[in-house]
Amino acid sequence: MGWDVWGVGWVNGETYPYTKKLHKDVLKFVSCGRGGLMRFECSNPSDFRIEADGVLYAARTLQRSTLPVSPLLITASDTATQQQWVAQVRLVPSGITLTENRTKVMSKDLKEIAFPPRNMDSQLKRMKRDWVIPPINVPENSRGPFPQELVRIRSDHDKNRSLRYSVTGPGADQPPTGIFIIDPISGELSVNKPLDREHIPNFHLRAHAVDLNGNQVENPIDIVINVIDMNDNRPEFTHQIWNGTVPEGSKPGSFVMTVTAVDKDDPKTANGMLRYKILSQNPESPTSNMFTINNKTGGIITVAAGLDREKVPQYTLIIQASDMEGNPMYGLSNTATAVIRVTDINDNPPEFTAETFFGEVPENRVNVIVANLTVTDKDQPNTLAWNAVYKITGGDPTGRFSVPTDPTTNEGLVTVVKPIDYETSRTYVLTVEARNEVPLAKGIHTPRQSTATVSIRVIDVNESPYFEPNPKFIRLEEGMMPDSTLTTFSAQDPDRFMQQTIRYSKLSDPANWLRIDTNTGRITTIAILDRESPYVKNNLYNATFLATDNGIPPASGTGTLQIFLLDINDNAPRVSPQEVEICEKPDPNAINITAFDGDLSPNAGPFAFELANRPADVRRNWTITRISGDYAQVSLKIGFLESGIYEIPIIITDSGNLPMSNTSYLRIKVCQCDINGDCTDQQHIMAAGLGTGAIISILLCIIILLILVLMFVVWMKRRDKERQAKQLLIDPEDDVRDNILKYDEEGGGEEDQDYDLSQLQQPDTIEPDAIKPVGIRRLDERPLHPEPQYPMRSAAPHPGDIGDFINEGLKAADNDPTAPPYDSLLVFDYEGSGSTAGSLSSLNSSSSGGDQDYDYLNDWGPRFRKLADMYGGSDD
């Protein structure tokens, strides 16, 4: 029996569908003229075989029941280039046509997309845009079966001729490839594997329709495939364990920390909307709800009082984050741990364990620990209230010591930070004070034990030789030959009383140009000095040498030699820029160039420019003209030059005493230009400018700013006028004689919570003198007399009446019998009477002074004897 074959082949990325009758030879593959270099292979050699000439044969008799389900793959390989082509062959029974087969496999709900008409009637107007296909929505994580049909693409031209359909774009023929496939005959677009929205949220494909000759019969149409999000990702906390702190005794509502979780699902849907809550608290002391969390932001705050570090130093919370807006039925959740540490307050100062510490240090040593200062602190270890900070308060005027804190032991490490000379000072006595990183709590004072003394003894050692001067500066011409003597760089030994010898060596010579004599310090060259070397910065070359004495142990010192290299003409010039662009028909047809020379003037410019003699077309098409000493102009002799890249050899000569020449190539790119003279094959960045709207906005801002400044000036002038008027015209409400000025209200008194302000002006109205027994009135109490009549001011008196007003007020005050004399007690305030606490005075103010016995004042010491004599003596 025979079989119909429907196959799809890919050659160099192109798709070629075909259908053919299969008997003995089903299909023949053409090698495209490659001869015997092609090798064919079949994916099912037990049922089919393919010969070297590309003819495919059935290896055995095939029945309908033994028809292969998967397509047959034919691979063609080029044995020379290892290039491969793959063709896919699908077998169907010969009694069913391809059209019937396509109709049979098409699902009922498969969409069909028709290409928009390409060739319209000449009488119709041209369509301005193609059809827009609505996006296709495909849920992610589909379980198949695959391939899963999405849509059918059809052209009206397939009624009268055979067409082949294909799709292009990411997911089809571009990475990631193989996600979407299309039946080239029926146009059925299918998805070949599950999609992941979190990886690629949407795909943009283009569908094409061509005839069997590969000619396009329809304009391509765009297909957008959106991947619908599913709740397939749990919330993930950015940290599994969160650490926070809160001071003990914090009030409810104090912020502690914020925990954060993320969900890879779409945040615009409920799949990615998270809610937080606290599942548990450990320990549940003093209550089980010491903290609460904002369900949307994840912020944790205190909700109850009673945080006590000494009782509960740390709390552990289990935090849950759920998506689907916290719905426990449908949402996914995850948990994290929040560890909240209760911090201590600084109520214990550090105290030294000894009054005096001792140490010793060799001279000229730095970063050496001399002594360890130990302290004790009762606060919580490793907190700001426990960590000690040491400060030298005396004995170190030059700052040669510092006392950093050991972060592990909290000890003070007395360290030398500047060299100490034994010949200058042999001992140091330091005063060190210890404090915490945070101030002490209110009411806590620094004790004497927070200060200690450190005694340091200096040890004499062998000191290092030193170079003088250091660095040493010399000037030389570059290009000096090897074995040339430069200078002698010698060192001196500060240990004048020791008979020691010094030997020299090279410590740093980046370019390896120098050599030093070990005994004399004479420096010679071993290579040519080059000013243009990368090791030379600003014409300076630095080399470091070492001087070592023979003491026990030996000591050494370093010195730097700075060589200033003078320039000579040893570098040829080069053209700059090395690459330019011009138009095919340049206008103007000239290019400005200059030269770059590594040497300095006068060994650089001015330069001489000249075109090379070869190739011959250089001087035929181009000419060069010197503009100035450093610039020249390359011009095109002909009016038109084809697009391309041209290299023009240019001979450039500098102005050195011995001039140097170089042939440098100028790379010229000739391109097609627009009317503005710009190359049309490149995108140029347009210079940004300000539009009319932006200019108007700037002007409005300036006007508003000027108005604000003007209003401020007017307000300041008006304020000055009001201030001057207040100096002459005092408002009656500001008269302190007629008003009670309330400066502060402290509260908490016995009878001053709801008092009548009139008591402060007329206390005698509260307790009239008529109802008081004789001798009860206090001596400093205001006597009963009619109130004086002070003159009243008008609302706005004339400035000329101020003097009369003051004189009248002075006269009324002089005649006021209620005004106390200068030698009496002055009543500043009256707080009422009848206090249950009684009088605080030991002197009875209501009785006569003669009734008191003041003899007991003699027992209080010599300072009170005078009072006893004044009040306790006889009348004479």
Side-chain angles (χ1 to χ4, degrees), residues 694-763:
I695 296 176
I696 294 175
S697 300
I698 294 175
L699 293 177
L700 289 176
C701 292
I702 294 174
I703 293 173
I704 292 174
L705 182 61
L706 293 176
I707 292 174
L708 292 176
V709 173
L710 181 61
M711 292 175 63
F712 179 79
V713 173
V714 172
W715 177 77
M716 290 295 294
K717 291 184 177 180
R718 183 176 180 182
R719 184 180 178 186
D720 293 337
K721 290 181 180 180
E722 291 177 357
R723 186 179 301 170
Q724 294 174 2
K726 284 183 179 181
Q727 294 177 357
L728 298 177
L729 304 177
I730 302 176
D731 195 345
E733 295 180 359
D734 297 333
D735 191 355
V736 297
R737 297 171 300 176
D738 300 335
N739 294 276
I740 297 174
L741 300 182
K742 181 180 176 183
Y743 292 99
D744 198 358
E745 182 179 353
E746 298 179 350
E750 297 167 333
E751 293 182 8
D752 56 350
Q753 297 303 318
D754 264 334
Y755 55 81
D756 188 1
L757 293 181
S758 62
Q759 295 179 8
L760 301 180
Q761 291 185 340
Q762 295 179 346

Side-chain angles (χ1 to χ4, degrees), residues 745-818:
E745 182 179 353
E746 298 179 350
E750 297 167 333
E751 293 182 8
D752 56 350
Q753 297 303 318
D754 264 334
Y755 55 81
D756 188 1
L757 293 181
S758 62
Q759 295 179 8
L760 301 180
Q761 291 185 340
Q762 295 179 346
D764 48 5
T765 60
I766 304 302
E767 292 183 3
D769 187 72
I771 63 175
K772 289 186 179 181
V774 178
I776 299 302
R777 178 179 294 277
R778 290 164 31 195
L779 294 180
D780 58 348
E781 189 174 323
R782 183 178 179 181
L784 292 177
H785 291 285
E787 293 293 335
Q789 299 296 325
Y790 287 94
M792 297 300 295
R793 296 178 301 170
S794 60
H798 192 274
D801 299 335
I802 294 178
D804 297 338
F805 172 76
I806 295 175
N807 292 330
E808 292 177 3
L810 178 61
K811 184 177 180 181
D814 292 339
N815 296 329
D816 185 4
T818 62

Side-chain angles (χ1 to χ4, degrees), residues 302-336:
T302 59
V303 73
L307 291 174
D308 190 352
R309 188 197 67 84
E310 284 71 22
K311 295 181 180 179
V312 182
Q314 180 174 291
Y315 290 89
T316 301
L317 306 180
I318 303 300
I319 311 298
Q320 182 187 60
S322 304
D323 57 19
M324 298 298 291
E325 296 181 295
N327 191 324
M329 294 290 295
Y330 309 103
L332 302 176
S333 62
N334 215 333
T335 60

